């Protein structure tokens, strides 16, 4: 049965391994690029680490170390599924294989919001950093509405056209931006000499409450690291390359973030402007290291990294929507794939449309790029943490049915669920100020609507199967 006419309520349609996507075309490096780009690694040293420093101070490096360990744990639990199952549905498919339909439905809707929220968030960040680059070059700035719209629409065109073009573009964009960061970090460490920064290792002035709040922000640096799981149909040897990509991105970039956090705090010690007050911290670090040209290069790299993240999120969101439509949770038209490009073109178009409408509306109302980044990123984080917690919860049942469950995996599963619940609680208390206090309610209303729709569609599907 061709994808255009598939019966989304038929059990054989769900079990059918063919989704009309280009099979086995992505190399291990291209698969890894999906997860790396969704994290947008240049964004963390440039924007997120200074925010974490404002709360955690000299404990910033430790906060990122703890976040790395937490994400490595989640990555290992995701690997339980990724080594045994591959599909374009990402975490949604994993949860549906073990937990009841309502739980898998919640995972799908949470993950869809997470990817679209992240795409909108980094589109706002792209506008901010692109204007820094434009202002340095011309003395002028471009309208943020135009910049966010261009970023999303160009990314959508690439995701629509060719998955290999998208993956290779993401790979090179991220490699170039991270190279600039590493150069400044290495030169800064060399300038300060090979010795331990005692105030950081003694956690001088850092408080437990500040580090806890900083941990929530640090976890946002990693969200999207699992997005390679959405390439189960298109990755080469997916049962091997996808779990590796997930763990490599979590651990590899975690090490990068820890080193960057340590270096940035060290580099700003004794400066008149503190790390959290600097609008462009790598400009100052580059100047200290005697490589002034690398400061603007990091701004360019941050812009490219955020664009690559928009592309990665639209790629992953479209594939989640594709599988959700195969399961009857979205319109049957989204099961279709392009006859020549072999991409979920309709799903790409609708996810891009939703993202551009939300982001342009915020920019048109005068919301700054940094606020768009913060608001939409925080909303997306709730979706990711929900999906991660449900995946952790699904692991014991999945392994038990395969007679592979051990006490160690049970303990790790419980630890993963607890870690995600604590992260969610940490984002709610103390009660944040301004728009951030309303985001949990917006998320809960969205999730309730998704749950109600899931229950309704499952009921329709059950009645259809009895006929």
């Amino acid at each position: 049965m061709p994808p255009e006419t598939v019966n989304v309520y038929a059990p054989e349609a769900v079990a059918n391994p063919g989704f009309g996507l280009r099979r086995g075309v992505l190399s291990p490096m291209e698969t890894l690029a999906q997860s790396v780009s969704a994290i947008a690694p240049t964004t963390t040293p440039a924007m997120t680490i200074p925010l974490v420093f404002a709360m955690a101070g000299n404990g910033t490096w430790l906060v990122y170390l703890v976040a790395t360990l937490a994400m490595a744990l989640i990555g290992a639990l995701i690997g339980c599924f990724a080594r045994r199952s591959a599909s374009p549905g990402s975490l949604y498919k994993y949860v549906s294989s073990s937990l009841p339909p309502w739980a898998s439905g919640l995972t799908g809707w949470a993950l869809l919001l997470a990817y679209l929220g992240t795409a909108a968030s980094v589109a706002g960040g792209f506008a901010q950093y692109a204007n820094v680059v434009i202002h340095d070059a011309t003395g002028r700035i471009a309208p943020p509405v135009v910049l966010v719209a261009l970023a999303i629409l160009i990314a959508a065109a690439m995701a629509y056209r060719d998955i290999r073009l998208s993956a290779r573009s993401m790979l090179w964009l991220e490699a170039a931006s991270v190279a600039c960061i590493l150069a400044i970090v290495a030169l800064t460490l060399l300038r300060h000499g090979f010795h331990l920064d005692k105030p950081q290792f003694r956690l001088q002035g850092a408080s437990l409450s500040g580090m806890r709040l900083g941990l929530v922000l640090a976890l946002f640096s990693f969200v999207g690291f699992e997005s390679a799981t959405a390439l189960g149909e298109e990755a080469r040897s997916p049962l091997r390359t996808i779990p590796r990509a997930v763990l490599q991105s979590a651990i590899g970039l975690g090490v990068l973030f820890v080193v960057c956090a340590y270096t940035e705090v060290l580099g700003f010690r004794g400066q008149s402007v503190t790390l959290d007050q600097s609008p462009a911290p790598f400009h100052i670090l580059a100047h200290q290291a005697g490589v002034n040209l690398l400061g603007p290069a990091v701004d360019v790299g941050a812009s490219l990294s955020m664009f690559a993240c928009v592309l990665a999120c639209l790629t992953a969101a479209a594939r989640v929507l594709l599988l959700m439509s195969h399961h009857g949770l979205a319109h049957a038209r989204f099961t279709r794939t392009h006859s020549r490009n072999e991409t979920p073109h309709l799903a790409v178009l609708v996810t891009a449309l939703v993202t551009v409408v939300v982001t342009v509306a915020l920019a048109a109302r005068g919301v700054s790029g940094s606020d768009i980044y913060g608001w939409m990123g925080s909303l997306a984080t709730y979706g990711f943490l929900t999906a991660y917690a449900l995946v952790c919860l699904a692991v014991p049942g999945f392994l038990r049915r395969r007679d592979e469950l051990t006490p160690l995996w049970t303990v790790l599963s419980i630890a993963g669920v607890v870690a995600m619940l604590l992260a969610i609680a940490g984002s709610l208390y103390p009660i944040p100020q301004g728009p951030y206090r309303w985001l949990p309610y917006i998320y809960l209303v969205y999730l309730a609507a998704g749950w109600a729709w899931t229950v309704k569609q499952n009921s329709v599907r059950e009645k259809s199967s009895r006929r």
Side-chain angles (χ1 to χ4, degrees), residues 232-293:
E233 186 95 346
E234 294 144 304
R236 198 176 304 155
S237 303
L239 300 184
R240 183 174 67 254
T241 59
I242 288 177
R244 285 181 181 176
V246 171
L247 267 182
Q248 286 170 352
S249 59
I251 296 174
L253 292 179
V255 172
L256 172 66
F257 296 157
V258 172
V259 172
C260 285
Y262 173 84
T263 304
E264 288 182 58
V265 174
L266 174 65
F268 270 82
R269 193 170 307 287
Q271 294 294 312
S272 58
V273 178
T274 59
L275 175 59
D276 56 306
Q277 295 175 341
S278 173
F282 276 88
H283 276 248
I284 294 177
L285 294 179
H287 177 72
Q288 290 179 359
V291 284
N292 291 331
L293 288 178

Side-chain angles (χ1 to χ4, degrees), residues 150-184:
L150 281 176
I152 296 168
L153 294 177
I154 293 174
M158 295 175 69
Y160 183 101
R161 176 66 180 85
D162 186 359
I163 182 61
R164 296 190 71 185
L165 171 65
S166 301
R168 289 174 179 175
S169 300
M170 290 186 289
L171 181 63
W172 287 108
L173 291 176
E174 293 299 348
S177 59
V178 171
C180 294
I181 293 286
L182 289 176
I184 296 176

